[in-house]
């Protein structure tokens, strides 16, 4: 398995500000992902965080809004920029290890 | 892209009852996983099961890839089984697509 530490666990932010979420894995992994889960909904993939190159974004998500860093094989950050109330969601870091997907505990974001 | 449908959307059980959750998918898959999201939001990987049958304690899963469905069985349910169960699949080199989930409530 994989142990994933994600922080902050929750935050309340003002509209127009930015929040950076950190994800630390206890072992080196090639594939890291960021998901969003809106209230009462399923998980939607935001992007694949690539080590040493730009992240690969899914349709509907752009780098200016959700910049991602992946400086090494155990760490990644997701920034939610210029936030609006519509960005209120749970944001989840995940890694693929031996074909299985493992998740961090998530960041509950509320934007006022 | 691949479509994933889970049923039922909601399920209420008495403690001790058995249940079967279903996941239908629209294309052949090379990865299928079942997850449990507990009431506190933590997602736990239950099974990696692109085909065949696996068991882990009171939980078991079967995937019939040729007929494009997977089943998750929960026996002798406990209140700690409450939460949302997600099925996620991919085909080829695409990323995992999640179904909408089945919300399970087990009452004492």
């Amino acid at each position: 398995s994989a142990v994933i530490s994600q922080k902050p666990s929750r935050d309340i932010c003002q509209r127009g500000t930015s929040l950076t979420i950190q994800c630390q894995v206890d072992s080196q992994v090639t594939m890291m992902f960021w998901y969003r889960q809106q209230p009462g909904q399923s998980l939607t993939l935001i992007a694949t965080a690539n080590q040493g190159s730009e992240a690969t974004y899914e349709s509907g998500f752009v780098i200016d809004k959700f910049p991602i860093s992946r400086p090494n094989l155990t760490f990644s950050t997701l920034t939610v920029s210029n936030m609006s109330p519509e960005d209120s969601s749970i944001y989840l870091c995940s890694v693929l290890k031996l074909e299985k997907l493992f998740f961090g505990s998530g960041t509950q974001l509320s934007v006022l | 892209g691949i479509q994933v449908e889970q049923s039922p959307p909601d399920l209420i059980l008495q403690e001790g009852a058995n249940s079967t959750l279903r996941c239908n998918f629209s294309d052949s898959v090379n990865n299928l996983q079942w997850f449990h999201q507990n009431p506190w939001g933590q997602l736990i990987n239950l099974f990696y099961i692109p085909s065949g049958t696996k068991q882990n304690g009171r939980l078991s899963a079967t995937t019939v890839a040729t007929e494009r469905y997977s089943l998750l069985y929960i026996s002798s349910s406990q209140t700690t089984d409450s939460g949302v169960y997600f099925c996620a699949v991919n085909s080829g080199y695409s990323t995992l697509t999640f179904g909408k989930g089945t919300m399970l409530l087990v009452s004492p």
Side-chain angles (χ1 to χ4, degrees):
Chain A
S1 67
V3 177
I4 304 170
S5 301
Q6 188 175 336
K7 58 182 181 182
S9 58
R10 60 179 63 240
D11 208 341
I12 300 173
C13 301
Q14 296 295 320
R15 73 168 65 213
T17 62
S18 298
L19 175 72
T20 295
I21 303 167
Q22 297 182 3
C23 177
Q24 178 74 53
V25 190
D26 67 338
S27 58
Q28 293 186 339
V29 291
T30 303
M31 305 295 287
M32 285 182 80
F33 308 94
W34 287 97
Y35 284 85
R36 181 175 74 181
Q37 187 177 28
Q38 294 179 302
Q41 303 296 312
S42 184
L43 282 76
T44 301
L45 181 64
I46 298 172
T48 301
N50 301 309
Q51 195 267 329
S53 64
E54 194 171 282
T56 304
Y57 289 85
E58 298 299 303
S59 176
F61 297 95
V62 295
I63 187 172
D64 290 347
K65 177 67 176 177
F66 296 102
I68 288 170
S69 78
R70 178 91 192 269
N72 56 53
L73 292 176
T74 63
F75 186 79
S76 179
T77 67
L78 168 75
T79 298
V80 186
S81 303
N82 188 24
M83 288 183 285
S84 67
E86 291 71 35
D87 294 319
S88 297
S89 289
I90 298 173
Y91 292 85
L92 295 140
C93 167
S94 70
V95 303
L96 189 68
K97 195 168 184 181
L98 298 175
E99 304 294 345
K100 297 181 74 171
L101 199 63
F102 298 96
F103 285 89
S105 53
T107 296
Q108 173 85 57
L109 172 61
S110 298
V111 184
L112 305 179
Chain B
I2 195 166
Q3 304 298 312
V4 184
E5 291 188 6
Q6 291 187 241
S7 60
D10 303 281
L11 187 58
I12 300 175
L13 299 174
Q14 286 273 315
E15 203 167 23
N18 303 327
S19 61
T20 301
L21 282 58
R22 187 176 179 103
C23 172
N24 292 333
F25 41 93
S26 61
D27 202 350
S28 58
V29 298
N30 56 19
N31 192 329
L32 188 148
Q33 301 185 37
W34 283 96
F35 298 87
H36 174 221
Q37 187 169 38
N38 66 25
W40 296 271
Q42 179 67 56
L43 275 153
I44 304 297
N45 192 305
L46 298 175
F47 292 103
Y48 163 73
I49 187 166
S51 64
T53 297
K54 290 185 178 179
Q55 181 155 5
N56 184 2
R58 296 181 296 103
L59 273 60
S60 64
T62 295
T63 297
V64 184
T66 53
E67 297 187 21
R68 300 182 181 171
Y69 72 89
S70 183
L71 302 174
L72 178 68
Y73 305 96
I74 305 173
S75 64
S76 304
S77 58
Q78 301 176 358
T79 55
T80 53
D81 295 328
S82 296
V84 183
Y85 290 81
F86 290 104
C87 167
V89 305
N90 77 355
S91 60
Y93 296 101
S94 64
T95 53
L96 283 167
T97 297
F98 280 75
K100 293 184 177 181
T102 292
M103 181 174 290
L104 174 65
L105 176 62
V106 181
S107 58

